[in-house]
Amino acid sequence: MPILVELTEEKIKEAICKNFVDQCDILPKEQISAYQQDGMRWFSSSIPNPLFNRVVSTNCSEEDLPLVVNDITNYYQEKNLPFMWMTWSAVDKPHNLKKYLEENGFGSIGTMPGMALKLEELSGETTNIPGLEVEKVKTEDEFSSFNEGIERGL
């Protein structure tokens, strides 16, 4: 993932969504199957909990939406797995995805909070953890090292 340099509200929202969606790439392959097809991303596992079986990115035409929703719903039903369909108002295509899902039996379970703060604006007292250093990621190599740590942690 490229380092975000354009810090507009729109670009930050897109980056937060993309970062979350791209985490599919680092899920443990032995336990979770991740899929990417035609701009759609979803994953499934044998764990019967929607947190481990969900659509994380939707990118299709409004015209194709009924077929896409039907196909993915059938996929999870055939495996007898409960699932969730995440919606991202900033990046969903089509933009009426949330409304379409609600009109077709899906219910909202809440909103996932997302917050960001520029490190330069961080102020106030912080906990001093011996040996902990916070460094700004400036290169693709540094970001790859960060991702490797996240992957091992999962």
Side-chain angles (χ1 to χ4, degrees), residues 83-148:
F83 75 103
M84 68 169 50
W85 199 303
M86 298 183 73
T87 60
W88 306 90
S89 60
V91 295
D92 284 334
K93 290 182 181 141
H95 296 293
N96 67 333
L97 173 64
K98 183 176 188 263
K99 182 179 181 214
Y100 180 86
L101 291 172
E102 288 172 342
E103 290 172 350
N104 286 277
F106 288 78
S108 178
I109 58 171
T111 302
M112 184 170 64
M115 295 180 221
L117 174 69
K118 294 178 185 175
L119 291 179
E120 298 84 24
E121 296 174 4
L122 185 62
S123 62
E125 292 296 315
T126 58
T127 304
N128 185 12
I129 302 172
L132 175 67
E133 292 181 35
V134 177
E135 295 180 21
K136 188 174 185 176
V137 173
K138 298 177 185 169
T139 68
E140 295 290 331
D141 286 342
E142 290 173 346
F143 188 73
S144 293
S145 295
F146 167 77
N147 254 356
E148 184 178 325

Short mmCIF file of all heavy atoms in Angstrom, two decimals, residues 83-148:
data_model
loop_
_atom_site.label_atom_id
_atom_site.label_comp_id
_atom_site.label_asym_id
_atom_site.label_seq_id
_atom_site.Cartn_x
_atom_site.Cartn_y
_atom_site.Cartn_z
N PHE A 83 -22.87 -14.69 8.24
CA PHE A 83 -21.89 -13.74 7.70
C PHE A 83 -22.40 -12.32 7.82
O PHE A 83 -23.57 -12.09 8.08
CB PHE A 83 -21.55 -14.08 6.24
CG PHE A 83 -22.61 -13.71 5.25
CD1 PHE A 83 -22.47 -12.58 4.46
CD2 PHE A 83 -23.74 -14.49 5.08
CE1 PHE A 83 -23.43 -12.24 3.52
CE2 PHE A 83 -24.71 -14.17 4.15
CZ PHE A 83 -24.55 -13.04 3.37
N MET A 84 -21.48 -11.39 7.66
CA MET A 84 -21.86 -9.98 7.65
C MET A 84 -21.33 -9.33 6.38
O MET A 84 -20.38 -9.82 5.77
CB MET A 84 -21.32 -9.24 8.88
CG MET A 84 -19.83 -9.10 8.93
SD MET A 84 -19.18 -7.99 10.21
CE MET A 84 -19.96 -8.52 11.67
N TRP A 85 -21.98 -8.25 6.00
CA TRP A 85 -21.59 -7.51 4.80
C TRP A 85 -21.24 -6.10 5.27
O TRP A 85 -22.12 -5.33 5.65
CB TRP A 85 -22.74 -7.46 3.82
CG TRP A 85 -22.34 -7.15 2.41
CD1 TRP A 85 -21.66 -6.05 1.97
CD2 TRP A 85 -22.57 -7.95 1.27
NE1 TRP A 85 -21.48 -6.10 0.62
CE2 TRP A 85 -22.04 -7.29 0.15
CE3 TRP A 85 -23.20 -9.18 1.07
CZ2 TRP A 85 -22.11 -7.78 -1.13
CZ3 TRP A 85 -23.28 -9.68 -0.20
CH2 TRP A 85 -22.73 -8.99 -1.29
N MET A 86 -19.98 -5.78 5.27
CA MET A 86 -19.56 -4.46 5.72
C MET A 86 -19.82 -3.43 4.62
O MET A 86 -19.65 -3.73 3.44
CB MET A 86 -18.08 -4.48 6.09
CG MET A 86 -17.79 -5.45 7.23
SD MET A 86 -16.08 -5.42 7.74
CE MET A 86 -16.04 -3.83 8.58
N THR A 87 -20.25 -2.26 5.04
CA THR A 87 -20.47 -1.17 4.08
C THR A 87 -19.58 0.01 4.47
O THR A 87 -19.35 0.27 5.66
CB THR A 87 -21.95 -0.74 4.05
OG1 THR A 87 -22.35 -0.30 5.35
CG2 THR A 87 -22.84 -1.89 3.61
N TRP A 88 -19.09 0.67 3.46
CA TRP A 88 -18.20 1.83 3.63
C TRP A 88 -18.77 2.96 2.78
O TRP A 88 -18.57 2.98 1.57
CB TRP A 88 -16.80 1.50 3.15
CG TRP A 88 -16.19 0.27 3.74
CD1 TRP A 88 -16.27 -1.00 3.25
CD2 TRP A 88 -15.41 0.19 4.93
NE1 TRP A 88 -15.58 -1.86 4.06
CE2 TRP A 88 -15.05 -1.15 5.10
CE3 TRP A 88 -14.98 1.13 5.86
CZ2 TRP A 88 -14.27 -1.58 6.17
CZ3 TRP A 88 -14.21 0.69 6.92
CH2 TRP A 88 -13.87 -0.65 7.07
N SER A 89 -19.47 3.88 3.39
CA SER A 89 -20.14 4.93 2.62
C SER A 89 -19.17 5.72 1.75
O SER A 89 -19.54 6.22 0.69
CB SER A 89 -20.91 5.87 3.55
OG SER A 89 -20.03 6.48 4.47
N ALA A 90 -17.92 5.82 2.17
CA ALA A 90 -16.95 6.62 1.42
C ALA A 90 -16.49 5.95 0.13
O ALA A 90 -16.08 6.63 -0.81
CB ALA A 90 -15.73 6.93 2.29
N VAL A 91 -16.55 4.63 0.06
CA VAL A 91 -15.96 3.94 -1.09
C VAL A 91 -16.84 2.87 -1.74
O VAL A 91 -16.46 2.33 -2.78
CB VAL A 91 -14.59 3.31 -0.72
CG1 VAL A 91 -13.59 4.39 -0.36
CG2 VAL A 91 -14.73 2.31 0.39
N ASP A 92 -17.97 2.53 -1.14
CA ASP A 92 -18.81 1.48 -1.73
C ASP A 92 -19.26 1.82 -3.14
O ASP A 92 -19.60 2.96 -3.43
CB ASP A 92 -20.09 1.27 -0.89
CG ASP A 92 -19.84 0.49 0.37
OD1 ASP A 92 -18.87 -0.29 0.41
OD2 ASP A 92 -20.62 0.67 1.32
N LYS A 93 -19.25 0.80 -3.98
CA LYS A 93 -19.82 0.93 -5.32
C LYS A 93 -20.70 -0.28 -5.52
O LYS A 93 -20.22 -1.40 -5.42
CB LYS A 93 -18.72 1.01 -6.38
CG LYS A 93 -17.97 2.32 -6.29
CD LYS A 93 -16.92 2.44 -7.35
CE LYS A 93 -16.22 3.76 -7.16
NZ LYS A 93 -14.83 3.75 -7.38
N PRO A 94 -21.97 -0.09 -5.76
CA PRO A 94 -22.64 1.20 -5.92
C PRO A 94 -22.86 1.90 -4.58
O PRO A 94 -22.80 1.27 -3.53
CB PRO A 94 -23.98 0.81 -6.55
CG PRO A 94 -24.26 -0.56 -6.06
CD PRO A 94 -22.91 -1.22 -5.93
N HIS A 95 -23.11 3.18 -4.64
CA HIS A 95 -23.23 3.99 -3.44
C HIS A 95 -24.50 3.69 -2.65
O HIS A 95 -24.59 4.07 -1.49
CB HIS A 95 -23.14 5.48 -3.78
CG HIS A 95 -21.80 5.85 -4.34
ND1 HIS A 95 -20.64 5.80 -3.59
CD2 HIS A 95 -21.41 6.23 -5.58
CE1 HIS A 95 -19.61 6.14 -4.34
NE2 HIS A 95 -20.05 6.41 -5.55
N ASN A 96 -25.46 2.99 -3.26
CA ASN A 96 -26.70 2.65 -2.57
C ASN A 96 -26.63 1.25 -1.94
O ASN A 96 -27.64 0.66 -1.59
CB ASN A 96 -27.89 2.73 -3.52
CG ASN A 96 -27.84 1.67 -4.60
OD1 ASN A 96 -26.77 1.18 -4.98
ND2 ASN A 96 -29.00 1.29 -5.12
N LEU A 97 -25.42 0.71 -1.75
CA LEU A 97 -25.25 -0.65 -1.24
C LEU A 97 -25.97 -0.85 0.10
O LEU A 97 -26.74 -1.80 0.26
CB LEU A 97 -23.76 -0.98 -1.07
CG LEU A 97 -23.45 -2.30 -0.37
CD1 LEU A 97 -23.95 -3.47 -1.19
CD2 LEU A 97 -21.96 -2.42 -0.10
N LYS A 98 -25.73 0.01 1.06
CA LYS A 98 -26.33 -0.14 2.39
C LYS A 98 -27.86 -0.18 2.29
O LYS A 98 -28.51 -1.05 2.87
CB LYS A 98 -25.88 0.99 3.31
CG LYS A 98 -26.40 0.85 4.73
CD LYS A 98 -25.84 1.96 5.62
CE LYS A 98 -26.18 1.72 7.05
NZ LYS A 98 -27.33 2.44 7.53
N LYS A 99 -28.41 0.73 1.53
CA LYS A 99 -29.87 0.78 1.36
C LYS A 99 -30.38 -0.51 0.71
O LYS A 99 -31.38 -1.09 1.15
CB LYS A 99 -30.25 2.00 0.52
CG LYS A 99 -31.74 2.16 0.33
CD LYS A 99 -32.06 3.41 -0.49
CE LYS A 99 -33.56 3.53 -0.62
NZ LYS A 99 -34.00 4.08 -1.85
N TYR A 100 -29.68 -0.97 -0.32
CA TYR A 100 -30.09 -2.20 -1.01
C TYR A 100 -30.07 -3.39 -0.05
O TYR A 100 -31.01 -4.19 -0.02
CB TYR A 100 -29.19 -2.48 -2.22
CG TYR A 100 -29.60 -3.74 -2.94
CD1 TYR A 100 -30.59 -3.70 -3.91
CD2 TYR A 100 -29.03 -4.96 -2.61
CE1 TYR A 100 -30.99 -4.87 -4.55
CE2 TYR A 100 -29.44 -6.13 -3.24
CZ TYR A 100 -30.41 -6.08 -4.20
OH TYR A 100 -30.83 -7.23 -4.81
N LEU A 101 -28.99 -3.51 0.72
CA LEU A 101 -28.89 -4.63 1.66
C LEU A 101 -30.03 -4.59 2.68
O LEU A 101 -30.65 -5.61 2.98
CB LEU A 101 -27.53 -4.63 2.35
CG LEU A 101 -26.33 -4.96 1.47
CD1 LEU A 101 -25.02 -4.72 2.24
CD2 LEU A 101 -26.39 -6.38 0.94
N GLU A 102 -30.30 -3.41 3.24
CA GLU A 102 -31.38 -3.27 4.22
C GLU A 102 -32.73 -3.62 3.61
O GLU A 102 -33.56 -4.27 4.25
CB GLU A 102 -31.39 -1.85 4.79
CG GLU A 102 -30.22 -1.59 5.73
CD GLU A 102 -30.09 -0.15 6.17
OE1 GLU A 102 -30.68 0.75 5.52
OE2 GLU A 102 -29.39 0.08 7.18
N GLU A 103 -32.96 -3.23 2.36
CA GLU A 103 -34.23 -3.54 1.68
C GLU A 103 -34.37 -5.03 1.36
O GLU A 103 -35.44 -5.50 1.04
CB GLU A 103 -34.35 -2.72 0.39
CG GLU A 103 -34.58 -1.24 0.63
CD GLU A 103 -34.51 -0.41 -0.65
OE1 GLU A 103 -34.10 -0.94 -1.71
OE2 GLU A 103 -34.86 0.79 -0.57
N ASN A 104 -33.25 -5.76 1.46
CA ASN A 104 -33.27 -7.17 1.12
C ASN A 104 -32.91 -8.06 2.31
O ASN A 104 -32.32 -9.13 2.16
CB ASN A 104 -32.34 -7.43 -0.06
CG ASN A 104 -32.95 -6.91 -1.34
OD1 ASN A 104 -33.76 -7.58 -1.96
ND2 ASN A 104 -32.60 -5.68 -1.72
N GLY A 105 -33.32 -7.62 3.50
CA GLY A 105 -33.26 -8.48 4.67
C GLY A 105 -32.06 -8.34 5.58
O GLY A 105 -32.03 -8.93 6.66
N PHE A 106 -31.05 -7.58 5.18
CA PHE A 106 -29.90 -7.39 6.05
C PHE A 106 -30.23 -6.30 7.07
O PHE A 106 -30.91 -5.34 6.75
CB PHE A 106 -28.67 -6.96 5.25
CG PHE A 106 -28.06 -8.05 4.41
CD1 PHE A 106 -28.64 -8.42 3.20
CD2 PHE A 106 -26.91 -8.71 4.82
CE1 PHE A 106 -28.09 -9.41 2.42
CE2 PHE A 106 -26.35 -9.70 4.04
CZ PHE A 106 -26.94 -10.06 2.83
N GLY A 107 -29.75 -6.47 8.29
CA GLY A 107 -29.98 -5.47 9.31
C GLY A 107 -28.67 -4.84 9.75
O GLY A 107 -27.63 -5.50 9.78
N SER A 108 -28.73 -3.59 10.11
CA SER A 108 -27.54 -2.89 10.57
C SER A 108 -27.24 -3.31 12.00
O SER A 108 -28.13 -3.40 12.84
CB SER A 108 -27.77 -1.38 10.51
OG SER A 108 -26.63 -0.71 11.01
N ILE A 109 -25.97 -3.59 12.29
CA ILE A 109 -25.58 -3.96 13.66
C ILE A 109 -24.77 -2.86 14.31
O ILE A 109 -24.25 -3.03 15.40
CB ILE A 109 -24.81 -5.30 13.69
CG1 ILE A 109 -23.56 -5.24 12.83
CG2 ILE A 109 -25.70 -6.45 13.30
CD1 ILE A 109 -22.64 -6.44 13.00
N GLY A 110 -24.63 -1.75 13.63
CA GLY A 110 -23.92 -0.63 14.21
C GLY A 110 -22.90 -0.04 13.26
O GLY A 110 -22.79 -0.45 12.11
N THR A 111 -22.18 0.91 13.79
CA THR A 111 -21.16 1.60 13.01
C THR A 111 -19.81 1.35 13.66
O THR A 111 -19.67 1.45 14.88
CB THR A 111 -21.44 3.12 13.00
OG1 THR A 111 -22.73 3.33 12.44
CG2 THR A 111 -20.41 3.86 12.18
N MET A 112 -18.83 1.00 12.85
CA MET A 112 -17.49 0.79 13.36
C MET A 112 -16.78 2.15 13.43
O MET A 112 -16.67 2.83 12.41
CB MET A 112 -16.72 -0.17 12.43
CG MET A 112 -15.35 -0.52 12.96
SD MET A 112 -14.55 -1.84 12.03
CE MET A 112 -14.35 -1.10 10.43
N PRO A 113 -16.34 2.54 14.63
CA PRO A 113 -15.68 3.84 14.73
C PRO A 113 -14.31 3.81 14.08
O PRO A 113 -13.65 2.78 14.03
CB PRO A 113 -15.56 4.06 16.24
CG PRO A 113 -15.56 2.69 16.82
CD PRO A 113 -16.41 1.84 15.89
N GLY A 114 -13.92 4.93 13.57
CA GLY A 114 -12.59 5.07 13.01
C GLY A 114 -12.08 6.46 13.34
O GLY A 114 -12.79 7.44 13.18
N MET A 115 -10.89 6.52 13.85
CA MET A 115 -10.33 7.81 14.23
C MET A 115 -8.88 7.88 13.76
O MET A 115 -8.22 6.85 13.63
CB MET A 115 -10.39 7.98 15.74
CG MET A 115 -11.80 8.03 16.27
SD MET A 115 -11.74 8.24 18.04
CE MET A 115 -13.05 7.13 18.50
N ALA A 116 -8.41 9.08 13.54
CA ALA A 116 -7.03 9.28 13.13
C ALA A 116 -6.52 10.57 13.76
O ALA A 116 -7.30 11.47 14.07
CB ALA A 116 -6.94 9.36 11.61
N LEU A 117 -5.22 10.61 13.95
CA LEU A 117 -4.58 11.80 14.50
C LEU A 117 -3.20 11.92 13.88
O LEU A 117 -2.46 10.93 13.82
CB LEU A 117 -4.45 11.67 16.03
CG LEU A 117 -3.67 12.76 16.76
CD1 LEU A 117 -4.44 14.09 16.73
CD2 LEU A 117 -3.43 12.34 18.20
N LYS A 118 -2.89 13.10 13.38
CA LYS A 118 -1.54 13.32 12.86
C LYS A 118 -0.57 13.31 14.04
O LYS A 118 -0.83 13.94 15.07
CB LYS A 118 -1.46 14.68 12.16
CG LYS A 118 -2.30 14.75 10.90
CD LYS A 118 -2.21 16.13 10.29
CE LYS A 118 -3.13 16.25 9.11
NZ LYS A 118 -3.15 17.62 8.56
N LEU A 119 0.51 12.56 13.91
CA LEU A 119 1.48 12.46 15.01
C LEU A 119 1.99 13.83 15.43
O LEU A 119 2.26 14.07 16.61
CB LEU A 119 2.64 11.54 14.61
CG LEU A 119 2.29 10.07 14.48
CD1 LEU A 119 3.53 9.27 14.05
CD2 LEU A 119 1.73 9.50 15.78
N GLU A 120 2.12 14.75 14.47
CA GLU A 120 2.60 16.09 14.80
C GLU A 120 1.65 16.82 15.75
O GLU A 120 2.04 17.73 16.46
CB GLU A 120 2.78 16.94 13.52
CG GLU A 120 3.80 16.41 12.54
CD GLU A 120 3.21 15.34 11.60
OE1 GLU A 120 1.99 15.30 11.37
OE2 GLU A 120 4.01 14.53 11.10
N GLU A 121 0.38 16.41 15.74
CA GLU A 121 -0.61 17.08 16.57
C GLU A 121 -0.82 16.39 17.91
O GLU A 121 -1.60 16.86 18.73
CB GLU A 121 -1.94 17.17 15.81
CG GLU A 121 -1.85 18.03 14.56
CD GLU A 121 -3.13 17.99 13.72
OE1 GLU A 121 -4.12 17.37 14.14
OE2 GLU A 121 -3.11 18.59 12.64
N LEU A 122 -0.14 15.30 18.14
CA LEU A 122 -0.24 14.56 19.39
C LEU A 122 0.32 15.42 20.51
O LEU A 122 1.43 15.91 20.45
CB LEU A 122 0.53 13.24 19.28
CG LEU A 122 0.43 12.29 20.46
CD1 LEU A 122 -1.03 11.84 20.65
CD2 LEU A 122 1.30 11.07 20.22
N SER A 123 -0.49 15.64 21.53
CA SER A 123 -0.03 16.45 22.65
C SER A 123 -0.51 15.83 23.95
O SER A 123 -1.31 14.90 23.96
CB SER A 123 -0.56 17.88 22.51
OG SER A 123 -1.98 17.87 22.55
N GLY A 124 -0.03 16.36 25.02
CA GLY A 124 -0.45 15.86 26.32
C GLY A 124 0.48 14.79 26.84
O GLY A 124 1.47 14.43 26.22
N GLU A 125 0.15 14.30 28.01
CA GLU A 125 0.97 13.27 28.65
C GLU A 125 0.78 11.93 27.97
O GLU A 125 -0.32 11.55 27.61
CB GLU A 125 0.59 13.15 30.13
CG GLU A 125 0.94 14.37 30.95
CD GLU A 125 2.44 14.61 31.01
OE1 GLU A 125 3.19 13.64 31.22
OE2 GLU A 125 2.85 15.77 30.85
N THR A 126 1.87 11.24 27.77
CA THR A 126 1.80 9.88 27.23
C THR A 126 2.48 8.95 28.21
O THR A 126 3.34 9.35 28.99
CB THR A 126 2.51 9.78 25.87
OG1 THR A 126 3.86 10.19 26.03
CG2 THR A 126 1.83 10.65 24.82
N THR A 127 2.07 7.71 28.19
CA THR A 127 2.67 6.72 29.05
C THR A 127 4.08 6.43 28.56
O THR A 127 4.29 6.20 27.38
CB THR A 127 1.83 5.42 29.03
OG1 THR A 127 0.49 5.75 29.40
CG2 THR A 127 2.39 4.39 29.98
N ASN A 128 5.02 6.43 29.47
CA ASN A 128 6.40 6.14 29.11
C ASN A 128 6.62 4.64 29.23
O ASN A 128 6.59 4.10 30.34
CB ASN A 128 7.36 6.91 30.01
CG ASN A 128 8.80 6.73 29.57
OD1 ASN A 128 9.07 6.22 28.49
ND2 ASN A 128 9.72 7.13 30.42
N ILE A 129 6.82 3.98 28.12
CA ILE A 129 7.09 2.55 28.10
C ILE A 129 8.56 2.38 27.76
O ILE A 129 8.98 2.72 26.65
CB ILE A 129 6.19 1.82 27.08
CG1 ILE A 129 4.72 2.07 27.41
CG2 ILE A 129 6.52 0.33 27.04
CD1 ILE A 129 3.76 1.55 26.37
N PRO A 130 9.33 1.86 28.70
CA PRO A 130 10.78 1.71 28.45
C PRO A 130 11.04 0.90 27.17
O PRO A 130 10.46 -0.15 26.95
CB PRO A 130 11.27 0.94 29.68
CG PRO A 130 10.26 1.23 30.74
CD PRO A 130 8.94 1.38 30.02
N GLY A 131 11.90 1.44 26.31
CA GLY A 131 12.28 0.75 25.08
C GLY A 131 11.34 1.01 23.91
O GLY A 131 11.64 0.63 22.78
N LEU A 132 10.18 1.63 24.15
CA LEU A 132 9.23 1.89 23.06
C LEU A 132 9.60 3.20 22.36
O LEU A 132 9.79 4.23 22.99
CB LEU A 132 7.80 2.00 23.58
CG LEU A 132 6.75 2.38 22.54
CD1 LEU A 132 6.58 1.25 21.52
CD2 LEU A 132 5.43 2.71 23.19
N GLU A 133 9.71 3.10 21.04
CA GLU A 133 9.96 4.29 20.23
C GLU A 133 8.89 4.34 19.15
O GLU A 133 8.59 3.34 18.52
CB GLU A 133 11.33 4.21 19.56
CG GLU A 133 12.49 4.31 20.52
CD GLU A 133 13.81 4.26 19.78
OE1 GLU A 133 13.90 4.79 18.66
OE2 GLU A 133 14.75 3.67 20.35
N VAL A 134 8.30 5.51 18.94
CA VAL A 134 7.33 5.70 17.87
C VAL A 134 8.04 6.42 16.74
O VAL A 134 8.63 7.49 16.95
CB VAL A 134 6.12 6.53 18.35
CG1 VAL A 134 5.16 6.79 17.20
CG2 VAL A 134 5.42 5.83 19.51
N GLU A 135 8.02 5.81 15.56
CA GLU A 135 8.68 6.39 14.41
C GLU A 135 7.70 6.52 13.26
O GLU A 135 6.86 5.64 13.05
CB GLU A 135 9.85 5.50 13.96
CG GLU A 135 10.96 5.37 14.95
CD GLU A 135 12.08 4.48 14.45
OE1 GLU A 135 12.19 4.28 13.22
OE2 GLU A 135 12.84 3.96 15.29
N LYS A 136 7.81 7.60 12.53
CA LYS A 136 6.98 7.81 11.36
C LYS A 136 7.48 6.94 10.21
O LYS A 136 8.68 6.89 9.94
CB LYS A 136 7.03 9.28 10.96
CG LYS A 136 6.06 9.65 9.87
CD LYS A 136 6.08 11.17 9.65
CE LYS A 136 5.03 11.58 8.67
NZ LYS A 136 4.96 13.03 8.51
N VAL A 137 6.57 6.23 9.58
CA VAL A 137 6.91 5.41 8.41
C VAL A 137 7.06 6.35 7.23
O VAL A 137 6.15 7.11 6.91
CB VAL A 137 5.81 4.35 8.13
CG1 VAL A 137 6.07 3.63 6.84
CG2 VAL A 137 5.71 3.38 9.29
N LYS A 138 8.23 6.28 6.58
CA LYS A 138 8.52 7.21 5.49
C LYS A 138 8.76 6.52 4.15
O LYS A 138 8.72 7.16 3.12
CB LYS A 138 9.73 8.06 5.83
CG LYS A 138 9.54 8.92 7.06
CD LYS A 138 10.79 9.68 7.41
CE LYS A 138 10.60 10.44 8.70
NZ LYS A 138 11.85 10.97 9.21
N THR A 139 9.02 5.22 4.17
CA THR A 139 9.34 4.52 2.93
C THR A 139 8.51 3.25 2.80
O THR A 139 7.95 2.75 3.78
CB THR A 139 10.83 4.12 2.87
OG1 THR A 139 11.07 3.11 3.86
CG2 THR A 139 11.74 5.31 3.10
N GLU A 140 8.46 2.71 1.59
CA GLU A 140 7.76 1.45 1.34
C GLU A 140 8.39 0.31 2.14
O GLU A 140 7.70 -0.55 2.66
CB GLU A 140 7.77 1.12 -0.15
CG GLU A 140 6.99 2.09 -1.02
CD GLU A 140 5.48 2.02 -0.82
OE1 GLU A 140 4.96 0.95 -0.48
OE2 GLU A 140 4.83 3.07 -1.02
N ASP A 141 9.72 0.31 2.26
CA ASP A 141 10.42 -0.74 3.03
C ASP A 141 10.02 -0.70 4.49
O ASP A 141 9.81 -1.74 5.13
CB ASP A 141 11.93 -0.61 2.89
CG ASP A 141 12.44 -1.08 1.52
OD1 ASP A 141 11.71 -1.81 0.83
OD2 ASP A 141 13.57 -0.71 1.16
N GLU A 142 9.94 0.51 5.06
CA GLU A 142 9.53 0.64 6.46
C GLU A 142 8.09 0.15 6.63
O GLU A 142 7.76 -0.51 7.62
CB GLU A 142 9.65 2.09 6.92
CG GLU A 142 11.08 2.56 7.06
CD GLU A 142 11.20 4.05 7.35
OE1 GLU A 142 10.20 4.80 7.18
OE2 GLU A 142 12.29 4.46 7.74
N PHE A 143 7.24 0.45 5.66
CA PHE A 143 5.85 0.00 5.75
C PHE A 143 5.78 -1.52 5.65
O PHE A 143 5.01 -2.16 6.36
CB PHE A 143 5.00 0.64 4.65
CG PHE A 143 3.53 0.37 4.81
CD1 PHE A 143 2.81 0.98 5.81
CD2 PHE A 143 2.88 -0.52 3.97
CE1 PHE A 143 1.46 0.72 5.98
CE2 PHE A 143 1.54 -0.80 4.13
CZ PHE A 143 0.82 -0.17 5.14
N SER A 144 6.61 -2.13 4.81
CA SER A 144 6.65 -3.59 4.69
C SER A 144 7.07 -4.22 6.01
O SER A 144 6.51 -5.24 6.42
CB SER A 144 7.61 -4.02 3.58
OG SER A 144 7.11 -3.62 2.34
N SER A 145 8.04 -3.61 6.70
CA SER A 145 8.46 -4.12 8.01
C SER A 145 7.31 -4.04 9.01
O SER A 145 7.09 -4.96 9.78
CB SER A 145 9.65 -3.31 8.53
OG SER A 145 10.76 -3.49 7.72
N PHE A 146 6.57 -2.95 9.00
CA PHE A 146 5.41 -2.78 9.87
C PHE A 146 4.39 -3.88 9.58
O PHE A 146 3.89 -4.53 10.47
CB PHE A 146 4.79 -1.40 9.65
CG PHE A 146 3.43 -1.24 10.26
CD1 PHE A 146 3.29 -1.05 11.64
CD2 PHE A 146 2.29 -1.30 9.48
CE1 PHE A 146 2.02 -0.92 12.20
CE2 PHE A 146 1.04 -1.16 10.03
CZ PHE A 146 0.90 -0.97 11.40
N ASN A 147 4.09 -4.09 8.29
CA ASN A 147 3.11 -5.12 7.89
C ASN A 147 3.55 -6.50 8.34
O ASN A 147 2.73 -7.32 8.75
CB ASN A 147 2.90 -5.10 6.38
CG ASN A 147 1.58 -4.49 6.01
OD1 ASN A 147 0.78 -4.15 6.85
ND2 ASN A 147 1.35 -4.36 4.72
N GLU A 148 4.85 -6.79 8.24
CA GLU A 148 5.38 -8.09 8.65
C GLU A 148 5.11 -8.30 10.16
O GLU A 148 4.73 -9.40 10.58
CB GLU A 148 6.87 -8.17 8.37
CG GLU A 148 7.48 -9.52 8.67
CD GLU A 148 8.95 -9.57 8.34
OE1 GLU A 148 9.37 -8.93 7.35
OE2 GLU A 148 9.68 -10.25 9.08
#
